[in-house]
Amino acid sequence: MYNTIVAAGHLASDPEMRQVGDNKVCKIRLCVSGKRAKEPCFIDAELWNKQAETANQYLTKGRPIIIQGELRNSSWESEGKKYNKMFISASTFQFIGGSNDSDPKAESKQAVTAGSVDEEIPF
């Protein structure tokens, strides 16, 4: 079976990065609803290590991106109630559209970091 999801949308909030052991994780919330949707649809995603650092540095609320990864489920119990939440564990992401800034340096930063941000590939 395949477990791949691709989602495009706007960031609903600024990224939140934290340290988990020796790794870094950046959590983002993506609004994937169209303009005509009666209710917005939000999906959470997490990026790890180098991608987490890049996302935390360049992404801000409202920025359009495309994200690809695996759909995962998180389960927990709180005050006797069981909860489940689906989220994307991202393998790649891309910036789309223009920069939110009018700063020409921001445009060059986008060009340098656009595309997927891969970990080192051992060859």
Side-chain angles (χ1 to χ4, degrees), residues 8 31-35 37 39-42:
C31 181
V32 294
S33 300
K35 291 181 181 180
E39 293 184 26
C41 179
F42 298 97

Side-chain angles (χ1 to χ4, degrees), residues 49-66:
N49 299 318
K50 287 184 181 180
Q51 287 185 341
E53 292 173 6
T54 302
N56 190 56
Q57 183 177 1
Y58 293 106
L59 296 181
T60 57
K61 180 178 179 178
R63 182 82 188 250
I65 66 167
I66 297 173

Side-chain angles (χ1 to χ4, degrees), residues 26-80:
C26 184
K27 296 194 176 204
I28 59 174
R29 176 165 269 207
L30 196 62
C31 181
V32 294
S33 300
K35 291 181 181 180
R36 297 182 187 167
K38 292 181 181 179
E39 293 184 26
C41 179
F42 298 97
I43 188 157
D44 292 331
E46 58 184 32
L47 302 123
W48 290 85
N49 299 318
K50 287 184 181 180
Q51 287 185 341
E53 292 173 6
T54 302
N56 190 56
Q57 183 177 1
Y58 293 106
L59 296 181
T60 57
K61 180 178 179 178
R63 182 82 188 250
I65 66 167
I66 297 173
I67 193 165
Q68 180 177 352
E70 292 182 353
L71 194 58
R72 298 223 176 135
N73 186 48
S74 177
S75 302
W76 68 96
E77 191 172 323
S78 177
E79 298 179 12

Side-chain angles (χ1 to χ4, degrees), residues 71-121:
L71 194 58
R72 298 223 176 135
N73 186 48
S74 177
S75 302
W76 68 96
E77 191 172 323
S78 177
E79 298 179 12
K81 293 184 180 180
K82 292 184 179 182
Y83 297 93
N84 289 304
K85 180 179 183 178
M86 301 296 283
F87 67 97
I88 298 173
S89 179
S91 56
T92 62
F93 77 94
Q94 291 182 322
F95 302 123
I96 55 176
S99 173
N100 292 341
D101 307 317
S102 59
D103 179 11
K105 291 181 182 176
E107 291 297 327
S108 65
K109 286 180 189 173
Q110 179 181 357
V112 170
T113 59
S116 65
V117 182
D118 294 327
E119 301 294 329
E120 292 183 29
I121 302 172

